[in-house]
Amino acid sequence: MAEQRSGGGAADDGGRGAPEHVLVVFPGYHRPWAAWINQRLEAHGVRATLQRWDPPREVPLEDSLSDLLLASGQVLLVLNDWFFQLGPRPAGEWNDVLRGFVASRADRFAAVNLTNRPLLPATAVLEPVSLWGVGEDEAEARLLSRLGIEPRRSSGRRVPPGTPVRYPDTPPEIWGEIPRRNPRFTGRDDLLTELQERLMDADRGNAACTLLGMSGIGKTQIAAEYAHRFSPDYDVVWWVNSDDRNVQRDRFGELAAELRLPSGNEPGERIRAVREALRRGDPHSRWLVIFDGWDDTDGAQVLLPHGPGHVLITSRNRGWGDYTDVLDVPSFDRAESTAYLMRRASHITAPQADEVAAEFGDVPLPLVQAAAWLGESGMEVPEYLRMVRDGRLSTVEEPSAVDGYPNASLTSWSILINRLRRSQPQAIDVLSLCASFAPGRIPLGLVRAYPQAELPEDLRWMATDLPAWTRALDTLVNYSVLTRETRGPATNVEVGPHQESVHMHRLVHDIVARLTDGENREAHRKAVRSLLAEADPGNPMDSRNWPRYAELLPHIGPSGALTSRNARVQTAVLNSLRYCYRSGEFRAGAQLAERIRDAWSTFMDPLDQPMLDLTTQQGNVLRSFGRFREAYELDLAQRERLSAATPPNELGSLLSGSAIASDLRFLGQYQESEKLQRQVLAEAERLLGDTEFSTFVARHNLGVVLRMLGRYQEAYDLDAESLVRCETVLRTRHAHTLGAGNALAHDLRLLGQYREALARQEANVRVHVQVLGPQHLQTLYARTQLALCRRREGGFQQDLGATMASLLEQLEQVHGRGHYITLAAINNYANYLREHGDLDHARKLVTEAEAGYRSLLGPAHPVATGVLANTALVMQAAGERADALSILEGALAGLTASLGADHPWVLGCALNTTAARNFNGRVADAAELSRETLRRARHTLGHEHPLTLSGQIALATDLRGLREVEEAGKLEEAALLSLTRTLGAQHPHTLSARHRNRPYWDFEANLG
């Protein structure tokens, strides 16, 4: 399209037409969104210009906005709550300018909103359209609609050649342990832009750049921000911790598995395979590998990859100039320093921020610590600076780098230990303390945050004599007894002293434990379990705390925490078990729960509160692990004990009732489960109120059992209410809120509202992956639900088989072949394969699912019975019609007996049975059952539910076989009209009915 003259567009005609030019204004943090918006506008014939915007605090806001209006056409602001922290400026200044200057020029301004958090009230003048949590098609439609742009039908979502930009909410295909994005990342926009330009402009095969600077200057943070900010430019982003050579090689070699390269287990072989794949750009040419903390250039020739992608290194070694381009990382400029301080500690003034920045020389790491201190404590700047200058606040320490692991000679270790006893006895204290942890990663820095009075006398120096502490650790590091790990668990807050960790190899741990064993060992173990209690984040439900629990969990047994009678230690032990349940580590949780019970039973009454809590959590773990009968017996025994207790324990009885209601549901006793679950919900609301987590769980579980009872509309109404409450109280990214989203999408799909179910589940899965990770059990469940939504919606058939096969493989790897959710995936994939003609594979899988459910649940369980209907469909498709009819008649009788004649599962099985009767020549019997099934389906599901309409088509087929052509034609015509109206003319159900193919029903095995 020819470039339009300056001044054209919506601004010139009062906003009545589409703009010819759009200035996209964004903070650097949102560069991916701006790039995507730019590309979508140009794809629809609208000229766009990107404007990164961070107006100086010294310039009046009205003047900065006036500068934007010098551009022709529309000014599109890319908003979230961060946008209004630019400067930063007081909220009042923004509101005043929005109400005055912007409101008077509202036709020139538009906005998109990328957050669900509240914006300033006066933002309403911009009429921002929300792009938060929606898919790419919907986001594009909303963007174009807000700007008054008519979509170009011919362009669709085609990406212009040579400029691929991924939708920002779609992560790269491979995303390798990149540190979480720092929500407080400040400035560095020019440096990040220069870094991108250097990598993009480099010759193919030589796009490598080293961020060079002293420790604490922010190299790692810049590298992580680059990975997030420019992630749409890459298909592979891989992070390699490089401060230890062995860890570096292992981590780089792990990319072979992600790229699915044929290679052995030997590190060198995997490294070679990875470098060759990166060199060729196969399977991905747009890759980014980040080596963080690579100070030794000796391994550059062996590890440094070449090819069409990019390499980013962070280092303190200027020798990298011989191998890569080098970009020096300076300190913050003063505006960046003061902006960060004022955002983090909102009570300080600009002159005070300037004074703090000057004190620390604008070096980011100490500024981060200063901002955190000032922000959290609320301390005034003069007092803080007095403390710093008097030496009452410690400065940042320089991390040490080490090489390798120790050798295995017990004699040499004995010599070393004896030498240390004479020359550095405090290093022996550190080793003895390490021996009371488990081997591997040891959070030894907890000692630094631990109250002195709680440490045994021989260890108190660790908390008070920091020079001695440093000397002891340096000595052990230099002797390769320990390696320092400089990056703590991924969290959204700054790393504190309690997150300093060391690594001790298992072999070294065993040797040290033997050589340092003595009279202080038990005191040291007591200190370690007290440290673990201190380090307990206290909230295992929050996924941000899971890395900390994962770090602490291995040390519970070696420290003796299981036998401790200290209440704080017992709480930490129970929280670790809760973490296993919440994070999906069911096998580890079941083992830990049994060990806790064995230990506590020796000194604790079954009705003591810790034992009651243990039973609740153990039941949760067993139930989630598929050991339903064990969970039921455990929970039932607890209820019997509570019933006999005086005085009554109302909360204990409530939790026990909730657990038993869940057990009954998994055991297929749905009516009993619903009755008890309603009692539990009423009691939870009475005892705890509407906003307690136990009440949320009770309401969610009632929705689940209603769904299992086939009362889909009731389940939907309840789940919709639950989701709103969860989003309000727990917030949108809480794991329970995500589960509520799964439930609502599931209800919509079962109600036949396939498009809405798909739209919701696509957005829900994206957040699951971001918050819980792609392999978490809840995420895998959400992804399987998404695959079912896509199958029902009908528009994703080409790639769906590969998706379902991949999900099945992932579930098997994470949970084993016999887990109930894996069995559900096996069953559903078998249904897909049968539908697409792969009968041999389908038969193999459905037979496996049938046997697995029978073993897990028993043959009379409704789910085990329902899977038989799928077995019969495979047999029927293979021509084994008589055997299929026999199985279906038995399944129909079994489901009717356990669920009642009106349950949707029974109606679906009846639909299949009508077909089997017809195929076996029993047309009159088929018509009789079809008429009864249609009547019941209309009563239970409504006249336009897909299952009801399938029953109507089936009845028309049977009536045609009985030569009742007139009634058959009317039924068929009405069903086709309804299918076209509700699902669309091209939906597989509609097309199949139009071609007079006999409808069938797939049983989706789900235990809720």
Side-chain angles (χ1 to χ4, degrees):
M1 149 179 171
E3 184 170 313
Q4 301 295 325
R5 62 180 176 83
S6 177
D12 301 312
D13 59 10
R16 290 185 295 273
E20 297 172 351
H21 174 257
V22 175
L23 181 69
V24 182
V25 178
F26 65 98
Y29 197 78
H30 282 310
R31 180 262 179 193
W33 279 101
W36 178 82
I37 290 170
N38 175 73
Q39 184 182 75
R40 298 324 307 148
L41 292 178
E42 294 193 343
H44 290 278
V46 177
R47 186 167 55 89
T49 304
L50 297 184
Q51 176 71 52
R52 195 186 74 225
W53 198 60
D54 190 355
R57 190 173 61 253
E58 298 78 16
V59 178
L61 183 55
E62 186 171 310
D63 291 350
S64 294
L65 288 167
S66 294
D67 290 342
L68 298 178
L69 294 179
L70 295 175
S72 64
Q74 198 88 353
V75 176
L76 178 71
L77 304 181
V78 182
L79 300 181
N80 70 342
D81 48 336
W82 175 262
F83 188 92
F84 298 105
Q85 296 182 43
L86 295 176
R89 298 174 186 271
E93 181 180 355
W94 268 108
N95 276 325
D96 290 344
V97 171
L98 288 169
R99 290 175 182 136
F101 179 84
V102 175
S104 65
R105 299 160 178 82
D107 59 330
R108 294 293 311 277
F109 289 96
V112 295
N113 180 19
L114 305 180
T115 182
N116 69 329
R117 291 188 288 271
L119 300 179
L120 295 178
T123 309
V125 70
L126 296 168
E127 300 181 9
V129 62
S130 176
L131 304 189
W132 183 83
V134 301
E136 182 170 9
D137 290 334
E138 178 64 18
E140 182 173 347
R142 292 183 182 186
L143 170 69
L144 299 179
S145 175
R146 176 62 184 90
L147 294 172
I149 298 170
E150 185 71 24
R152 281 188 172 183
R153 295 186 179 277
S154 60
S155 68
R157 283 180 48 198
R158 229 175 289 150
V159 177
T163 58
V165 176
R166 183 186 295 105
Y167 185 57
D169 274 357
T170 304
E173 185 169 331
I174 297 175
W175 182 254
E177 292 189 13
I178 314 304
R180 291 187 184 183
R181 196 172 196 182
N182 181 0
R184 301 190 182 103
F185 186 88
T186 295
R188 304 295 199 181
D189 285 341
D190 291 337
L191 189 147
L192 286 162
T193 300
E194 182 178 356
L195 175 59
Q196 188 215 21
E197 290 173 351
R198 290 195 185 193
L199 291 173
M200 292 293 183
D201 294 344
D203 294 336
R204 178 185 170 94
N206 293 301
C209 189
T210 298
L211 293 173
L212 191 68
M214 67 179 184
S215 293
I217 205 68
K219 301 184 298 295
T220 297
Q221 286 292 316
I222 293 169
E225 175 62 20
Y226 181 89
H228 287 281
R229 186 172 296 194
F230 296 98
S231 62
D233 296 339
Y234 300 101
D235 299 316
V236 177
V237 182
W238 194 255
W239 187 278
V240 181
N241 288 321
S242 302
D243 52 357
D244 178 272
R245 180 174 180 273
N246 294 289
V247 173
Q248 179 193 41
R249 288 170 55 82
D250 287 345
R251 179 64 186 149
F252 185 61
E254 286 172 5
L255 184 52
E258 296 293 329
L259 295 173
R260 301 189 177 182
L261 304 177
S263 64
N265 294 323
E266 198 273 319
E269 183 179 351
R270 289 186 296 167
I271 289 168
R272 288 190 293 273
V274 169
R275 292 188 75 206
E276 178 61 18
L278 297 180
R279 184 190 66 79
R280 296 194 316 268
D282 182 17
H284 298 286
S285 62
R286 303 196 312 164
W287 50 261
L288 170 67
V289 178
I290 301 172
F291 294 93
D292 183 41
W294 195 357
D295 287 331
D296 186 358
T297 62
D298 289 346
Q301 300 294 351
V302 177
L303 285 180
L304 194 64
H306 301 273
H310 298 163
V311 177
L312 179 57
I313 298 168
T314 71
S315 182
R316 296 173 296 179
N317 187 347
R318 191 163 290 277
W320 278 108
D322 296 335
Y323 301 92
T324 71
D325 192 7
V326 170
L327 181 58
D328 285 292
V329 179
S331 297
F332 275 155
D333 63 38
R334 185 55 52 87
E336 291 173 330
S337 299
T338 56
Y340 181 84
L341 287 162
M342 293 175 69
R343 289 189 190 110
R344 186 71 176 85
S346 58
H347 66 286
I348 71 175
T349 65
Q352 289 175 332
D354 187 83
E355 190 177 2
V356 174
E359 182 69 27
F360 291 102
D362 296 298
V363 177
L365 186 54
L367 281 174
V368 166
Q369 294 180 322
W373 177 275
L374 291 165
E376 294 297 325
S377 68
M379 181 180 288
E380 295 300 329
V381 167
E383 174 62 16
Y384 172 76
L385 289 176
R386 276 196 298 273
M387 292 180 66
V388 171
R389 291 160 183 165
D390 292 344
R392 286 185 280 160
L393 292 180
S394 62
T395 58
V396 179
E397 295 180 9
E398 181 81 2
S400 300
V402 298
D403 295 322
Y405 289 111
N407 65 56
S409 170
L410 183 60
T411 302
S412 66
W413 284 102
S414 297
I415 295 171
L416 173 61
I417 295 297
N418 289 331
R419 180 183 301 166
L420 291 175
R421 287 189 197 280
R422 294 190 300 270
S423 64
Q424 181 62 277
Q426 289 169 321
I428 298 299
D429 291 340
V430 173
L431 282 180
S432 180
L433 187 62
C434 287
S436 297
F437 286 92
R441 182 184 177 89
I442 298 174
L444 196 59
L446 294 176
V447 178
R448 299 271 299 277
Y450 196 76
Q452 177 187 350
E454 297 292 333
L455 288 174
E457 186 174 351
D458 65 313
L459 299 184
R460 288 178 186 172
W461 65 268
M462 295 182 181
T464 59
D465 192 345
L466 295 183
W469 166 268
T470 302
R471 285 195 303 272
L473 284 182
D474 285 346
T475 298
L476 295 172
V477 165
N478 290 337
Y479 279 110
S480 295
V481 181
L482 304 175
T483 61
R484 266 201 177 105
E485 297 195 349
T486 59
R487 187 165 69 91
T491 64
N492 288 330
V493 296
E494 289 75 22
V495 175
H498 62 290
Q499 291 179 315
E500 296 175 353
S501 297
V502 297
H503 189 281
M504 179 179 276
H505 192 275
R506 181 173 297 277
L507 177 61
V508 179
H509 184 276
D510 291 343
I511 294 172
V512 168
R514 278 185 281 172
L515 295 178
T516 62
D517 194 13
E519 60 182 18
N520 292 330
R521 177 55 50 82
E522 185 49 44
H524 291 182
R525 293 178 77 224
K526 181 179 179 181
V528 169
R529 54 184 178 260
S530 298
L531 287 167
L532 297 178
E534 288 286 338
D536 176 11
N539 185 8
M541 294 169 59
D542 188 339
S543 61
R544 292 172 295 184
N545 293 327
W546 291 352
R548 169 59 68 197
Y549 281 110
E551 183 180 47
L552 300 180
L553 184 62
H555 307 292
I556 287 177
S559 70
L562 297 179
T563 57
S564 174
R565 303 192 181 207
N566 182 288
R568 291 192 67 187
V569 175
Q570 291 172 359
T571 298
V573 169
L574 278 176
N575 279 341
S576 296
L577 180 59
R578 291 185 178 99
Y579 151 73
C580 291
Y581 168 57
R582 288 292 169 187
S583 65
E585 296 287 345
F586 302 134
R587 186 179 303 277
Q591 295 171 350
L592 176 61
E594 196 59 41
R595 292 168 63 200
I596 299 171
R597 184 169 296 280
D598 289 344
W600 286 5
S601 295
T602 62
F603 62 88
M604 201 179 291
D605 187 274
L607 290 178
D608 287 349
Q609 191 59 49
M611 285 292 281
L612 295 176
D613 293 340
L614 170 63
T615 300
T616 298
Q617 298 306 319
Q618 187 173 13
N620 288 339
V621 170
L622 290 173
R623 197 178 306 113
S624 299
F625 199 27
R627 291 158 62 174
F628 309 126
R629 181 60 60 179
E630 290 177 62
Y632 178 65
E633 292 171 355
L634 181 75
D635 294 329
L636 201 60
Q638 171 128 311
R639 184 171 69 172
E640 291 173 356
R641 288 192 294 267
L642 286 166
S643 298
T646 53
N649 185 334
E650 289 187 308
L651 181 58
S653 297
L654 169 67
L655 297 176
S656 178
S658 177
I660 293 172
S662 295
D663 296 330
L664 290 169
R665 185 180 76 242
F666 279 101
L667 292 171
Q669 300 178 38
Y670 303 135
Q671 290 85 358
E672 296 88 341
S673 176
E674 184 207 1
K675 180 180 178 181
L676 182 54
Q677 192 62 57
R678 288 192 181 278
Q679 295 173 5
V680 167
L681 177 56
E683 193 68 6
E685 291 174 335
R686 183 185 71 82
L687 280 178
L688 305 174
D690 284 341
T691 59
E692 279 295 315
F693 186 73
S694 294
T695 309
F696 285 134
V697 172
R699 189 176 291 109
H700 173 83
N701 287 346
L702 179 57
V704 174
V705 75
L706 288 172
R707 190 159 55 246
M708 303 306 287
L709 283 165
R711 289 149 61 180
Y712 301 145
Q713 188 62 52
E714 290 181 65
Y716 172 81
D717 293 340
L718 186 64
D719 288 336
E721 176 190 354
S722 294
L723 181 59
V724 170
R725 295 190 186 202
C726 289
E727 288 179 336
T728 301
V729 178
L730 301 177
R731 303 305 182 193
T732 56
R733 294 170 71 86
H734 192 283
H736 188 77
T737 306
L738 299 179
N742 279 335
L744 195 65
H746 195 169
D747 296 333
L748 286 167
R749 179 165 54 79
L750 294 177
L751 285 167
Q753 299 178 36
Y754 299 145
R755 292 175 187 169
E756 186 176 352
L758 176 61
R760 280 191 167 273
Q761 195 63 3
E762 283 181 332
N764 195 30
V765 165
R766 281 197 299 275
V767 184
H768 266 86
V769 172
Q770 294 168 4
V771 175
L772 302 178
Q775 297 304 313
H776 186 275
L777 178 59
Q778 186 171 314
T779 304
L780 289 174
Y781 176 78
R783 290 166 63 195
T784 58
Q785 288 296 310
L786 176 58
L788 294 174
C789 287
R790 285 176 169 167
R791 183 176 178 221
R792 295 303 179 203
E793 196 275 339
F796 295 83
Q797 301 303 307
Q798 185 174 359
D799 300 324
L800 190 56
T803 298
M804 297 181 80
S806 175
L807 282 168
L808 175 55
E809 182 180 352
Q810 292 173 63
L811 285 165
E812 181 181 3
Q813 290 173 352
V814 176
H815 305 293
R817 195 80 175 177
H819 191 276
Y820 64 92
I821 293 185
T822 310
L823 290 174
I826 292 172
N827 172 78
N828 294 332
Y829 186 38
N831 288 338
Y832 173 87
L833 291 171
R834 185 209 71 245
E835 185 177 61
H836 289 78
D838 192 347
L839 297 183
D840 290 340
H841 195 184
R843 185 191 294 267
K844 179 181 178 182
L845 290 179
V846 79
T847 300
E848 180 183 359
E850 180 188 330
Y853 277 119
R854 191 186 308 115
S855 173
L856 187 67
L857 306 172
H861 193 288
V863 170
T865 306
V867 175
L868 290 173
N870 295 335
T871 301
L873 288 178
V874 174
M875 298 173 68
Q876 188 166 270
E880 302 165 27
R881 293 183 168 180
D883 291 338
L885 175 60
S886 177
I887 291 175
L888 283 168
E889 294 283 9
L892 179 60
L895 288 173
T896 304
S898 59
L899 301 176
D902 291 333
H903 195 288
W905 294 0
V906 176
L907 299 174
C909 189
L911 177 71
N912 292 344
T913 307
T914 64
R917 289 181 180 180
N918 187 304
F919 294 155
N920 280 274
R922 295 170 51 188
V923 181
D925 291 342
E928 180 182 358
L929 181 58
S930 288
R931 196 177 292 279
E932 178 66 11
T933 301
L934 177 58
R935 183 184 68 80
R936 292 184 181 277
R938 285 172 170 169
H939 171 74
T940 301
L941 299 171
H943 285 250
E944 294 196 335
H945 191 280
L947 181 55
T948 304
L949 296 175
S950 292
Q952 193 166 325
I953 294 292
L955 177 57
T957 303
D958 293 331
L959 291 174
R960 195 175 293 109
L962 294 173
R963 302 186 184 282
E964 299 179 22
V965 178
E966 183 176 354
E967 183 183 359
K970 291 179 180 179
L971 286 169
E972 184 179 68
E973 182 180 2
L976 281 170
L977 286 173
S978 294
L979 285 169
T980 302
R981 182 172 61 255
T982 57
L983 300 182
Q986 299 304 310
H987 192 279
H989 287 0
T990 309
L991 295 174
S992 180
R994 186 170 290 118
H995 292 117
R996 292 185 173 176
N997 296 322
R998 184 90 192 198
Y1000 56 83
W1001 169 77
D1002 283 336
F1003 178 70
E1004 294 178 4
N1006 191 302
L1007 294 179

